[in-house]
Amino acid sequence: MDNRSRQRVLISLFFFLAGICFSTWASRIPTIKAHFDFNDAQLGTVLLFMPISSLLGLPVSGWLVSRFESRFPMTAGFVMIAISLFLIGLANTWVMLVGSIALFAFSTRIMSIALNTQAIQLQKRYERKINGSFHGLWSAGGIVGVGISTLFVALNVSIYVHFAIIAIIALIVTVSAFRGLEGNDRATSGNRLAFEKPDPYIVYLGLLVFLAAVCEGGMFDWSGIYFRET
């Protein structure tokens, strides 16, 4: 297998793993609500820290990807995701839960930007578009993650054990595959954080993305609650 094909396999694996990690969290939200005996308002307040942390991660992730090789923030993001999943499963106070969820959202943003940078860099070495296949694998990983969660819930496996297993798998895959990732993609310019008036087209596009994120977030965060309680 040549270097290009090997990198495609590794990046595909990371997209698949990212889908598993996210769906693992989302599918266990009803368990967390029941464990802490949250009402809908309290759960909504806790979940609010996810988009806040994700927004904070956006400028940081862009700076990290432009300042370093993208594989470094991507690897760090996956490691922090694994740690945050472990902490979410371990949380026994709402303060610890909020901190762990915030870390999970922040880490996911860092990982996502860096991983997509890896995918775009690899796509440049192909004569066709391959980025869509990576995002398809994220969705496939989400389906597998939900399947694992369904099995564990049926077997009465605790959320701590469940999240610990996924966290360990994520750590093993990340550490094992690091050396095979795309390197030497550090940007030669744009390494400073800049706050400027955006182009109107970017504003319109950002508004569409915001509205889509509201729908997506509501679906991920509340569908499990709806099916369990209604």
Side-chain angles (χ1 to χ4, degrees), residues 94-120:
W94 71 268
V95 174
M96 184 176 180
L97 177 65
V98 167
S100 303
I101 290 174
L103 177 62
F104 178 78
F106 184 85
S107 306
T108 298
R109 181 57 56 206
I110 301 295
M111 174 277 298
S112 179
I113 298 298
L115 181 55
N116 276 281
T117 301
Q118 283 274 315
I120 291 171

Side-chain angles (χ1 to χ4, degrees), residues 2-198:
D2 60 23
N3 183 57
R4 186 180 69 171
S5 299
R6 182 171 61 254
Q7 287 183 356
R8 183 172 184 179
V9 170
L10 291 177
I11 293 174
S12 297
L13 177 62
F14 277 114
F15 269 95
F16 185 76
L17 180 63
I20 290 178
C21 289
F22 185 82
S23 64
T24 295
W25 144 254
S27 61
R28 281 291 202 161
I29 291 176
T31 305
I32 293 172
K33 183 185 180 187
H35 175 73
F36 285 91
D37 196 26
F38 287 145
N39 58 37
D40 288 346
Q42 291 171 325
L43 179 63
T45 302
V46 170
L47 294 177
L48 180 62
F49 284 88
M50 288 200 71
I52 293 174
S53 299
S54 184
L55 283 173
L56 292 175
L58 273 174
V60 176
S61 60
W63 178 79
L64 287 173
V65 168
S66 63
R67 185 68 176 80
F68 305 98
E69 294 180 357
S70 60
R71 60 177 178 168
F72 288 107
M74 194 205 81
T75 300
F78 265 109
V79 170
M80 289 191 297
I81 286 172
I83 293 172
S84 61
L85 279 176
F86 180 80
L87 292 176
I88 292 171
L90 193 64
N92 53 11
T93 67
W94 71 268
V95 174
M96 184 176 180
L97 177 65
V98 167
S100 303
I101 290 174
L103 177 62
F104 178 78
F106 184 85
S107 306
T108 298
R109 181 57 56 206
I110 301 295
M111 174 277 298
S112 179
I113 298 298
L115 181 55
N116 276 281
T117 301
Q118 283 274 315
I120 291 171
Q121 292 295 331
L122 181 61
Q123 183 174 255
K124 293 178 181 178
R125 299 169 60 185
Y126 280 80
E127 297 178 355
R128 63 187 186 279
K129 303 294 184 182
I130 62 171
N131 211 12
S133 65
F134 295 134
H135 289 271
L137 283 167
W138 187 93
S139 299
I143 294 172
V144 171
V146 170
I148 294 172
S149 296
T150 301
L151 177 63
F152 282 178
V153 169
L155 295 175
N156 292 318
V157 176
S158 70
I159 187 173
Y160 168 71
V161 173
H162 179 188
F163 280 19
I165 291 173
I166 300 299
I168 291 171
I169 292 174
L171 284 174
I172 292 174
V173 171
T174 301
V175 173
S176 301
F178 171 77
R179 291 184 179 275
L181 294 171
E182 179 74 26
N184 301 318
D185 60 348
R186 179 179 176 272
T188 57
S189 61
N191 295 335
R192 289 185 176 182
L193 291 176
F195 297 93
E196 301 175 354
K197 182 180 179 180

